[in-house]
Amino acid sequence: MELVKKQIVKQWSGKPVTDQFLIDEDYNVPDNKKDIKKVMISEGELRIEEIRKVDNYVKVHGKLLFHILYVTDEAEEKMAELSGQFPFEEMVYTEEERGDWLIRSTRTDVTAVMIHSRKLNIRTMAEMVLVPETGEEGELTVDVEGVDRCCKKKADRRVLKMQNTLRDTYRIKEEIRLPKGKENIAALLWTDMKPQRLDTKLVADSLIVEGELLVFCFYETPDETLNWIEEPVRFEGRIPCPGADETMYHQIDTAFTDENAEARLDEDGEMRIIGIEASLEVKASVFEEEEVELLEDLYSLSCNLTVQKEMQECEQLVMQNHLKCSVSETLSLPELKDNIFQICHTSGSLEIVRTEAKEEGIQVEGILHIGFLYVKPDDDIPFDTWQGMVPFTCVLECNEMYPDVRSSLNGYIEQLSVNLLGQGKAEVKATVSFRALVRRPVSIENIAGLTVEERSMEELAKRPGIVGYAVKDGDDLFGLAKRFGTTEESICEVNGIEKEKGLQPGERILIFKENLSIL
């Protein structure tokens, strides 16, 4: 006797851990950079290099990469930039022993303060969201072999199984050409690249990525004036994903890193091209939904079977979708009432604070961190910056919700604008795009073992040959056939019942022991 089992690989994800830590370092201005009078913009990102479990801690090693735009301290003030990095090592406490730890998201809030014109204190509040994940193998019993005169009850169950995991990097290399009317580039001062759209889909053995980066470049012209350009840069590529196809689903985390912009010469020898390079880091889990015919129960007409069952937790797909929500807010900016002519660039980042399953869908609480570069009435340095935040709450609709759903959710700002309304007020409008994979756990009573014993003649003799039976609520053909030692087909034949229609409560039927004929 042998149970036939189907292997199912399930994704296990532990509870996310949010870790906040401080990187506080002094930085000496390099000799080839001019003295600093005022810091305009300070930004940074964490570059993770190693994640390793050490006893009850997760050790995270990496670098903080920072970028600063500043006003020079000289007779004729100018704008300049500098970049640098600090190593960091963080120990995150955890009692979870399962899985491999991954970084789900990172955030940094960088503040650069002048100590003097050649030295900065760079204080960064950093945040990482870590989660343990692993693939777990399970078995579902679908059949049995080697049991004499065996009657089986089977049922179809929809199961979500993990087909593959993917970690890869897609390199983006594109160019922007200055439109007519824009002056040539002498030096790039500041570059900001943010995803404006990112679509992904599975095809045969590949993951297709398609999207747009919104690229802003602030530059100095040959006559030492300041100018800027903002253009969308489209990209499309293919990442190998063996075994994938169009019918499968995927949970994906992405991050743009290694952004770089450089001025290049065009065909006429003029500096009118900006070369754009960036890396799209992709971590994905690929799932396949399968209809599995499970062996629910069985018995034999010639021997006694003892079935051992155990609960097996699987998952079913609820939804995979790209969802959007709109955010609108009016800001009061009295400090800028008479000090702003034009907003030339707006940038932002998304922080997801909390998600919760509701009856109508997934409620998301988040924060939009917003900053803009604007023109002000100043003959020397006619630019300045503003930074703030806009909290929001939205509900991502889902037609089928359960209290115990598991949602994998990430997002980005697809569109962002800040419009001046006058009287020290500005209107923020944003479209936030989310990628959601929603699953729910299902418990399956699975046959884990089977014991076979011979049936004695005395036991067979004690069973009644004919039984008159009144059908009760909950009765079915298989259960009655198993109970009285016959087959479903026999009950149907004797009583003129169509097997597909089954039994009706209150119906009276005759049940004959197998091999007993009507004389």
Side-chain angles (χ1 to χ4, degrees):
M1 182 278 302
E2 182 181 2
L3 293 176
V4 179
K5 299 186 177 183
K6 185 176 184 63
Q7 301 293 322
I8 299 289
V9 179
K10 303 170 290 183
Q11 185 188 56
W12 175 84
S13 298
K15 184 178 180 182
V17 176
T18 300
D19 179 65
Q20 294 182 336
F21 59 100
L22 181 67
I23 302 174
D24 193 346
E25 300 282 352
D26 290 343
Y27 180 76
N28 293 316
V29 178
D31 293 340
N32 63 341
K33 295 291 184 179
K34 296 181 179 180
D35 288 2
I36 298 175
K37 181 178 182 179
K38 177 185 177 182
V39 174
M40 298 282 291
I41 304 176
S42 53
E43 291 184 352
E45 62 175 306
L46 298 182
R47 181 68 48 80
I48 308 301
E49 297 179 340
E50 182 186 22
I51 306 173
R52 183 159 53 93
K53 188 78 162 54
V54 181
D55 298 326
N56 286 336
Y57 291 86
V58 179
K59 180 180 178 181
V60 182
H61 175 74
K63 296 175 182 176
L64 167 70
L65 307 181
F66 63 86
H67 314 279
I68 294 172
L69 180 68
Y70 67 95
V71 179
T72 62
D73 188 11
E74 50 190 347
E76 187 177 345
E77 296 177 347
K78 296 181 180 180
M79 303 281 274
E81 64 84 29
L82 62 84
S83 301
Q85 60 184 36
F86 297 124
F88 74 89
E89 184 175 284
E90 180 71 354
M91 302 292 285
V92 184
Y93 179 77
T94 177
E95 296 180 356
E96 182 57 67
E97 297 181 355
R98 303 162 64 188
D100 298 321
W101 285 84
L102 307 172
I103 301 294
R104 179 60 52 82
S105 63
T106 63
R107 272 194 50 78
T108 57
D109 184 7
V110 180
T111 303
V113 178
M114 285 180 53
I115 298 174
H116 52 71
S117 63
R118 302 298 300 172
K119 191 172 186 178
L120 294 173
N121 173 251
I122 299 178
R123 185 181 178 89
T124 302
M125 181 58 68
E127 179 181 281
M128 302 183 297
V129 179
L130 303 88
V131 62
E133 290 186 351
T134 188
E136 293 187 340
E137 291 188 358
E139 294 181 329
L140 296 176
T141 301
V142 296
D143 208 346
V144 64
E145 296 175 348
V147 177
D148 185 42
R149 303 182 70 192
C150 185
C151 299
K152 307 168 188 177
K153 181 181 182 181
K154 295 189 175 184
D156 291 333
R157 296 296 295 269
R158 190 163 47 92
V159 175
L160 190 68
K161 63 179 185 179
M162 189 166 69
Q163 190 270 344
N164 195 6
T165 57
L166 169 68
R167 288 193 190 185
D168 209 332
T169 300
Y170 174 70
R171 310 289 181 185
I172 300 171
K173 293 185 178 182
E174 301 291 343
E175 289 184 342
I176 296 175
R177 291 178 176 265
L178 294 184
K180 292 181 179 180
K182 287 286 184 181
E183 296 181 68
N184 291 356
I185 300 169
L188 290 178
L189 299 176
W190 187 261
T191 303
D192 183 40
M193 301 185 197
K194 292 290 189 295
Q196 188 170 252
R197 180 175 61 84
L198 180 59
D199 297 323
T200 60
K201 66 177 180 179
L202 291 170
V203 296
D205 296 320
S206 297
L207 175 72
I208 301 295
V209 294
E210 181 185 3
E212 284 184 353
L213 285 176
L214 186 62
V215 179
F216 172 80
C217 291
F218 192 54
Y219 66 92
E220 187 177 63
T221 67
D223 61 2
E224 298 186 344
T225 60
L226 300 175
N227 211 328
W228 68 89
I229 181 174
E230 187 170 56
E231 292 286 342
V233 173
R234 294 192 61 186
F235 62 88
E236 182 177 356
R238 181 183 296 259
I239 298 174
C241 186
D245 64 43
E246 296 85 348
T247 66
M248 296 181 182
Y249 306 90
H250 61 291
Q251 166 193 322
I252 189 167
D253 293 303
T254 59
F256 286 92
T257 62
D258 300 328
E259 296 103 332
N260 183 56
E262 64 173 8
R264 299 174 182 171
L265 297 173
D266 65 7
E267 299 83 355
D268 299 324
E270 296 185 323
M271 203 73 76
R272 298 189 62 80
I273 296 176
I274 301 173
I276 302 298
E277 294 186 5
S279 297
L280 174 62
E281 296 183 355
V282 175
K283 293 180 289 186
S285 297
V286 180
F287 298 90
E288 182 179 13
E289 196 171 36
E290 183 176 354
E291 200 80 20
V292 181
E293 188 181 45
L294 299 179
L295 181 63
E296 280 197 337
D297 202 357
L298 71 160
Y299 64 94
S300 172
L301 298 175
S302 58
C303 58
N304 291 331
L305 301 180
T306 303
V307 177
Q308 294 90 42
K309 294 187 176 183
E310 65 180 10
M311 298 307 296
Q312 185 80 258
E313 185 179 280
C314 295
E315 289 185 321
Q316 291 181 347
L317 180 71
V318 177
M319 176 188 70
Q320 177 183 310
N321 207 348
H322 285 197
L323 306 165
K324 298 180 182 182
C325 75
S326 297
V327 179
S328 181
E329 184 77 18
T330 299
L331 303 176
S332 179
L333 309 173
E335 70 276 16
L336 302 181
K337 181 178 179 181
D338 300 317
N339 200 35
I340 182 170
F341 286 160
Q342 177 187 0
I343 294 175
C344 52
H345 172 60
T346 303
S347 66
S349 62
L350 170 66
E351 178 184 359
I352 299 176
V353 177
R354 183 170 176 266
T355 62
E356 183 180 357
K358 297 284 189 178
E359 184 177 345
E360 63 274 20
I362 301 172
Q363 180 173 291
V364 181
E365 296 177 9
I367 297 173
L368 298 182
H369 296 269
I370 299 171
F372 57 80
L373 180 69
Y374 63 92
V375 181
K376 66 177 183 178
D378 188 314
D379 293 336
D380 295 326
I381 300 296
F383 294 94
D384 212 333
T385 61
W386 179 90
Q387 291 183 327
M389 60 180 66
V390 175
F392 71 92
T393 301
C394 66
V395 175
L396 307 180
E397 294 183 0
C398 181
N399 294 331
E400 188 179 7
M401 284 298 293
Y402 304 87
D404 54 353
V405 296
R406 300 164 178 171
S407 60
S408 301
L409 187 72
N410 53 45
Y412 59 93
I413 301 174
E414 185 172 296
Q415 294 180 349
L416 176 64
S417 65
V418 179
N419 300 312
L420 298 176
L421 301 178
Q423 302 300 314
K425 295 185 181 297
E427 182 184 40
V428 176
K429 287 188 175 182
T431 300
V432 184
S433 182
F434 295 95
R435 292 188 295 264
L437 181 73
V438 183
R439 302 164 289 168
R440 73 181 185 101
V442 290
S443 294
I444 295 176
E445 194 175 33
N446 185 53
I447 296 176
L450 186 63
T451 305
V452 181
E453 297 178 351
E454 291 187 6
R455 184 176 294 164
S456 68
M457 296 301 295
E458 293 181 1
E459 183 181 351
L460 287 172
K462 289 180 180 178
R463 291 194 173 186
I466 304 174
V467 175
Y469 186 81
V471 178
K472 302 180 180 63
D473 285 335
D475 285 338
D476 61 15
L477 285 168
F478 183 87
L480 292 179
K482 178 180 179 180
R483 176 179 171 185
F484 292 105
T486 185
T487 64
E488 295 178 82
E489 291 75 14
S490 175
I491 296 175
C492 290
E493 182 181 355
V494 169
N495 295 278
I497 297 171
E498 294 183 28
K499 187 176 179 179
E500 293 74 17
K501 293 184 178 180
L503 301 172
Q504 301 299 321
E507 186 176 2
R508 294 184 177 275
I509 60 174
L510 291 176
I511 302 176
F512 288 77
K513 185 166 65 174
E514 185 67 7
N515 294 334
L516 182 67
S517 60
I518 302 175
L519 300 178

Short mmCIF file of all heavy atoms in Angstrom, two decimals, residues 329-346 372-377 384 386 417-429:
data_model
loop_
_atom_site.label_atom_id
_atom_site.label_comp_id
_atom_site.label_asym_id
_atom_site.label_seq_id
_atom_site.Cartn_x
_atom_site.Cartn_y
_atom_site.Cartn_z
N GLU A 329 -4.32 67.85 -1.10
CA GLU A 329 -4.19 68.58 0.16
C GLU A 329 -3.81 70.02 -0.14
O GLU A 329 -3.01 70.30 -1.04
CB GLU A 329 -3.12 67.93 1.04
CG GLU A 329 -2.97 68.56 2.41
CD GLU A 329 -4.07 68.15 3.37
OE1 GLU A 329 -4.75 67.14 3.10
OE2 GLU A 329 -4.25 68.84 4.39
N THR A 330 -4.39 70.96 0.60
CA THR A 330 -4.02 72.37 0.50
C THR A 330 -3.08 72.72 1.64
O THR A 330 -3.40 72.50 2.81
CB THR A 330 -5.26 73.27 0.54
OG1 THR A 330 -6.12 72.95 -0.57
CG2 THR A 330 -4.86 74.73 0.45
N LEU A 331 -1.90 73.24 1.30
CA LEU A 331 -0.90 73.58 2.29
C LEU A 331 -0.91 75.09 2.55
O LEU A 331 -1.09 75.89 1.63
CB LEU A 331 0.50 73.18 1.80
CG LEU A 331 0.72 71.70 1.44
CD1 LEU A 331 2.13 71.52 0.89
CD2 LEU A 331 0.48 70.82 2.64
N SER A 332 -0.70 75.44 3.79
CA SER A 332 -0.55 76.84 4.16
C SER A 332 0.93 77.11 4.36
O SER A 332 1.58 76.52 5.23
CB SER A 332 -1.33 77.14 5.45
OG SER A 332 -1.16 78.49 5.83
N LEU A 333 1.48 78.01 3.52
CA LEU A 333 2.92 78.31 3.55
C LEU A 333 3.14 79.80 3.72
O LEU A 333 3.59 80.49 2.80
CB LEU A 333 3.59 77.82 2.25
CG LEU A 333 3.31 76.37 1.83
CD1 LEU A 333 3.90 76.09 0.46
CD2 LEU A 333 3.88 75.41 2.86
N PRO A 334 2.79 80.35 4.87
CA PRO A 334 2.90 81.80 5.06
C PRO A 334 4.34 82.30 4.90
O PRO A 334 4.56 83.45 4.51
CB PRO A 334 2.38 82.01 6.48
CG PRO A 334 2.53 80.68 7.15
CD PRO A 334 2.31 79.67 6.09
N GLU A 335 5.33 81.45 5.22
CA GLU A 335 6.72 81.90 5.12
C GLU A 335 7.16 82.11 3.67
O GLU A 335 8.17 82.78 3.42
CB GLU A 335 7.65 80.86 5.79
CG GLU A 335 7.79 79.53 5.05
CD GLU A 335 6.68 78.54 5.35
OE1 GLU A 335 5.64 78.96 5.89
OE2 GLU A 335 6.85 77.36 5.03
N LEU A 336 6.39 81.58 2.72
CA LEU A 336 6.74 81.74 1.31
C LEU A 336 5.79 82.69 0.58
O LEU A 336 5.89 82.83 -0.65
CB LEU A 336 6.70 80.37 0.60
CG LEU A 336 7.61 79.27 1.16
CD1 LEU A 336 7.47 78.01 0.32
CD2 LEU A 336 9.06 79.72 1.21
N LYS A 337 4.92 83.35 1.30
CA LYS A 337 3.87 84.16 0.68
C LYS A 337 4.41 85.17 -0.33
O LYS A 337 3.89 85.28 -1.44
CB LYS A 337 3.09 84.88 1.78
CG LYS A 337 1.93 85.74 1.25
CD LYS A 337 1.17 86.40 2.40
CE LYS A 337 0.06 87.27 1.87
NZ LYS A 337 -0.69 87.94 2.97
N ASP A 338 5.43 85.91 0.05
CA ASP A 338 5.97 86.94 -0.84
C ASP A 338 7.39 86.59 -1.30
O ASP A 338 8.15 87.46 -1.70
CB ASP A 338 6.00 88.29 -0.12
CG ASP A 338 4.60 88.73 0.31
OD1 ASP A 338 3.67 88.58 -0.51
OD2 ASP A 338 4.46 89.19 1.46
N ASN A 339 7.72 85.31 -1.25
CA ASN A 339 9.11 84.93 -1.49
C ASN A 339 9.24 83.81 -2.52
O ASN A 339 10.23 83.09 -2.52
CB ASN A 339 9.75 84.48 -0.17
CG ASN A 339 11.26 84.53 -0.23
OD1 ASN A 339 11.84 85.41 -0.87
ND2 ASN A 339 11.91 83.57 0.43
N ILE A 340 8.21 83.66 -3.36
CA ILE A 340 8.26 82.58 -4.33
C ILE A 340 7.66 83.05 -5.66
O ILE A 340 6.56 83.60 -5.69
CB ILE A 340 7.55 81.31 -3.79
CG1 ILE A 340 7.65 80.16 -4.78
CG2 ILE A 340 6.10 81.59 -3.43
CD1 ILE A 340 7.18 78.83 -4.19
N PHE A 341 8.40 82.86 -6.73
CA PHE A 341 7.93 83.21 -8.07
C PHE A 341 7.39 82.00 -8.82
O PHE A 341 6.35 82.07 -9.47
CB PHE A 341 9.06 83.84 -8.88
CG PHE A 341 9.41 85.24 -8.48
CD1 PHE A 341 10.64 85.77 -8.81
CD2 PHE A 341 8.52 86.03 -7.77
CE1 PHE A 341 10.98 87.07 -8.44
CE2 PHE A 341 8.85 87.32 -7.40
CZ PHE A 341 10.08 87.84 -7.74
N GLN A 342 8.10 80.89 -8.72
CA GLN A 342 7.79 79.72 -9.56
C GLN A 342 8.38 78.47 -8.92
O GLN A 342 9.47 78.49 -8.37
CB GLN A 342 8.41 79.92 -10.96
CG GLN A 342 8.23 78.74 -11.90
CD GLN A 342 9.00 78.93 -13.19
OE1 GLN A 342 9.67 79.94 -13.38
NE2 GLN A 342 8.94 77.95 -14.08
N ILE A 343 7.63 77.39 -9.01
CA ILE A 343 8.16 76.08 -8.61
C ILE A 343 8.74 75.42 -9.86
O ILE A 343 8.05 75.24 -10.86
CB ILE A 343 7.06 75.20 -8.00
CG1 ILE A 343 6.56 75.81 -6.68
CG2 ILE A 343 7.56 73.78 -7.75
CD1 ILE A 343 5.39 75.08 -6.06
N CYS A 344 10.02 75.08 -9.81
CA CYS A 344 10.65 74.49 -10.99
C CYS A 344 10.79 72.97 -10.90
O CYS A 344 10.97 72.30 -11.93
CB CYS A 344 12.00 75.13 -11.28
SG CYS A 344 13.15 75.19 -9.91
N HIS A 345 10.72 72.41 -9.69
CA HIS A 345 10.80 70.95 -9.58
C HIS A 345 10.18 70.50 -8.27
O HIS A 345 10.42 71.09 -7.22
CB HIS A 345 12.25 70.47 -9.65
CG HIS A 345 12.41 69.01 -9.36
ND1 HIS A 345 11.80 68.04 -10.12
CD2 HIS A 345 13.09 68.35 -8.38
CE1 HIS A 345 12.11 66.84 -9.64
NE2 HIS A 345 12.90 67.02 -8.58
N THR A 346 9.38 69.43 -8.36
CA THR A 346 8.77 68.81 -7.18
C THR A 346 9.17 67.35 -7.13
O THR A 346 9.12 66.65 -8.14
CB THR A 346 7.23 68.92 -7.24
OG1 THR A 346 6.85 70.28 -7.36
CG2 THR A 346 6.60 68.33 -5.99
N PHE A 372 10.16 70.72 -2.83
CA PHE A 372 10.20 71.39 -4.13
C PHE A 372 11.28 72.47 -4.16
O PHE A 372 11.63 73.07 -3.13
CB PHE A 372 8.85 71.94 -4.56
CG PHE A 372 8.20 72.92 -3.62
CD1 PHE A 372 8.60 74.26 -3.61
CD2 PHE A 372 7.16 72.54 -2.78
CE1 PHE A 372 7.99 75.18 -2.77
CE2 PHE A 372 6.56 73.45 -1.94
CZ PHE A 372 6.96 74.78 -1.93
N LEU A 373 11.82 72.65 -5.34
CA LEU A 373 12.81 73.68 -5.63
C LEU A 373 12.09 74.83 -6.31
O LEU A 373 11.36 74.61 -7.27
CB LEU A 373 13.91 73.12 -6.53
CG LEU A 373 15.05 74.05 -6.96
CD1 LEU A 373 15.94 74.39 -5.76
CD2 LEU A 373 15.88 73.39 -8.06
N TYR A 374 12.28 76.05 -5.80
CA TYR A 374 11.52 77.16 -6.34
C TYR A 374 12.41 78.37 -6.61
O TYR A 374 13.53 78.48 -6.10
CB TYR A 374 10.36 77.55 -5.41
CG TYR A 374 10.78 78.06 -4.04
CD1 TYR A 374 10.97 79.42 -3.83
CD2 TYR A 374 10.94 77.18 -2.97
CE1 TYR A 374 11.33 79.90 -2.57
CE2 TYR A 374 11.29 77.64 -1.72
CZ TYR A 374 11.50 79.00 -1.52
OH TYR A 374 11.87 79.48 -0.29
N VAL A 375 11.89 79.26 -7.46
CA VAL A 375 12.57 80.51 -7.80
C VAL A 375 12.08 81.60 -6.86
O VAL A 375 10.87 81.76 -6.65
CB VAL A 375 12.30 80.91 -9.27
CG1 VAL A 375 13.04 82.20 -9.62
CG2 VAL A 375 12.69 79.78 -10.21
N LYS A 376 13.03 82.38 -6.32
CA LYS A 376 12.68 83.45 -5.38
C LYS A 376 13.31 84.76 -5.83
O LYS A 376 14.25 84.78 -6.66
CB LYS A 376 13.12 83.08 -3.97
CG LYS A 376 14.63 83.02 -3.80
CD LYS A 376 15.01 82.71 -2.36
CE LYS A 376 16.53 82.71 -2.17
NZ LYS A 376 16.90 82.46 -0.77
N PRO A 377 12.84 85.89 -5.30
CA PRO A 377 13.37 87.20 -5.71
C PRO A 377 14.72 87.49 -5.04
O PRO A 377 14.80 88.20 -4.03
CB PRO A 377 12.30 88.18 -5.25
CG PRO A 377 11.63 87.49 -4.10
CD PRO A 377 11.66 86.03 -4.41
N ASP A 384 15.58 78.36 -3.90
CA ASP A 384 15.55 77.83 -2.53
C ASP A 384 14.69 76.57 -2.54
O ASP A 384 14.10 76.21 -3.58
CB ASP A 384 14.99 78.86 -1.55
CG ASP A 384 15.63 78.71 -0.16
OD1 ASP A 384 16.05 77.59 0.16
OD2 ASP A 384 15.69 79.71 0.58
N TRP A 386 11.85 73.85 -0.26
CA TRP A 386 10.89 73.64 0.83
C TRP A 386 10.65 72.14 0.96
O TRP A 386 10.62 71.41 -0.05
CB TRP A 386 9.56 74.33 0.52
CG TRP A 386 8.52 74.13 1.59
CD1 TRP A 386 8.29 74.90 2.68
CD2 TRP A 386 7.56 73.07 1.65
NE1 TRP A 386 7.26 74.40 3.43
CE2 TRP A 386 6.79 73.26 2.81
CE3 TRP A 386 7.29 71.97 0.83
CZ2 TRP A 386 5.76 72.40 3.18
CZ3 TRP A 386 6.26 71.10 1.21
CH2 TRP A 386 5.51 71.32 2.36
N SER A 417 2.26 66.94 -8.14
CA SER A 417 2.36 68.36 -8.52
C SER A 417 2.03 69.23 -7.32
O SER A 417 1.23 68.85 -6.45
CB SER A 417 1.39 68.67 -9.68
OG SER A 417 0.04 68.50 -9.27
N VAL A 418 2.67 70.39 -7.28
CA VAL A 418 2.37 71.42 -6.28
C VAL A 418 2.07 72.70 -7.04
O VAL A 418 2.92 73.21 -7.77
CB VAL A 418 3.54 71.62 -5.30
CG1 VAL A 418 3.18 72.72 -4.30
CG2 VAL A 418 3.87 70.33 -4.57
N ASN A 419 0.84 73.22 -6.88
CA ASN A 419 0.41 74.42 -7.60
C ASN A 419 0.20 75.56 -6.62
O ASN A 419 -0.45 75.40 -5.58
CB ASN A 419 -0.91 74.13 -8.35
CG ASN A 419 -0.75 73.02 -9.37
OD1 ASN A 419 0.18 73.01 -10.15
ND2 ASN A 419 -1.67 72.05 -9.34
N LEU A 420 0.75 76.71 -6.97
CA LEU A 420 0.60 77.89 -6.13
C LEU A 420 -0.81 78.46 -6.28
O LEU A 420 -1.28 78.67 -7.40
CB LEU A 420 1.64 78.93 -6.51
CG LEU A 420 3.10 78.51 -6.33
CD1 LEU A 420 4.03 79.61 -6.85
CD2 LEU A 420 3.40 78.18 -4.88
N LEU A 421 -1.47 78.74 -5.15
CA LEU A 421 -2.83 79.29 -5.16
C LEU A 421 -2.86 80.76 -4.80
O LEU A 421 -3.91 81.40 -4.90
CB LEU A 421 -3.71 78.51 -4.18
CG LEU A 421 -3.84 77.00 -4.42
CD1 LEU A 421 -4.71 76.36 -3.32
CD2 LEU A 421 -4.43 76.72 -5.79
N GLY A 422 -1.72 81.30 -4.35
CA GLY A 422 -1.70 82.70 -3.89
C GLY A 422 -2.00 82.79 -2.41
O GLY A 422 -2.48 81.83 -1.77
N GLN A 423 -1.71 83.93 -1.83
CA GLN A 423 -1.97 84.17 -0.41
C GLN A 423 -1.26 83.14 0.49
O GLN A 423 -1.78 82.75 1.53
CB GLN A 423 -3.47 84.16 -0.11
CG GLN A 423 -4.28 85.16 -0.90
CD GLN A 423 -3.82 86.59 -0.65
OE1 GLN A 423 -3.61 86.99 0.50
NE2 GLN A 423 -3.65 87.35 -1.73
N GLY A 424 -0.10 82.69 0.06
CA GLY A 424 0.67 81.77 0.89
C GLY A 424 0.11 80.36 0.94
O GLY A 424 0.38 79.61 1.90
N LYS A 425 -0.65 79.97 -0.07
CA LYS A 425 -1.22 78.63 -0.09
C LYS A 425 -0.78 77.89 -1.37
O LYS A 425 -0.54 78.51 -2.40
CB LYS A 425 -2.75 78.67 -0.02
CG LYS A 425 -3.29 79.22 1.29
CD LYS A 425 -4.80 79.13 1.36
CE LYS A 425 -5.34 79.70 2.66
NZ LYS A 425 -4.86 78.95 3.84
N ALA A 426 -0.71 76.57 -1.24
CA ALA A 426 -0.34 75.71 -2.37
C ALA A 426 -1.16 74.43 -2.30
O ALA A 426 -1.53 73.96 -1.22
CB ALA A 426 1.16 75.39 -2.35
N GLU A 427 -1.48 73.90 -3.47
CA GLU A 427 -2.27 72.68 -3.55
C GLU A 427 -1.39 71.51 -4.00
O GLU A 427 -0.71 71.59 -5.02
CB GLU A 427 -3.43 72.86 -4.53
CG GLU A 427 -4.33 71.63 -4.64
CD GLU A 427 -5.40 71.80 -5.69
OE1 GLU A 427 -5.11 72.36 -6.77
OE2 GLU A 427 -6.55 71.37 -5.44
N VAL A 428 -1.42 70.44 -3.22
CA VAL A 428 -0.68 69.23 -3.55
C VAL A 428 -1.65 68.23 -4.16
O VAL A 428 -2.71 67.94 -3.59
CB VAL A 428 -0.02 68.60 -2.30
CG1 VAL A 428 0.66 67.27 -2.66
CG2 VAL A 428 0.99 69.56 -1.70
N LYS A 429 -1.31 67.70 -5.33
CA LYS A 429 -2.09 66.64 -5.96
C LYS A 429 -1.14 65.50 -6.30
O LYS A 429 -0.08 65.72 -6.89
CB LYS A 429 -2.80 67.13 -7.22
CG LYS A 429 -3.98 68.05 -6.95
CD LYS A 429 -4.75 68.35 -8.23
CE LYS A 429 -5.99 69.16 -7.94
NZ LYS A 429 -6.78 69.43 -9.18
#
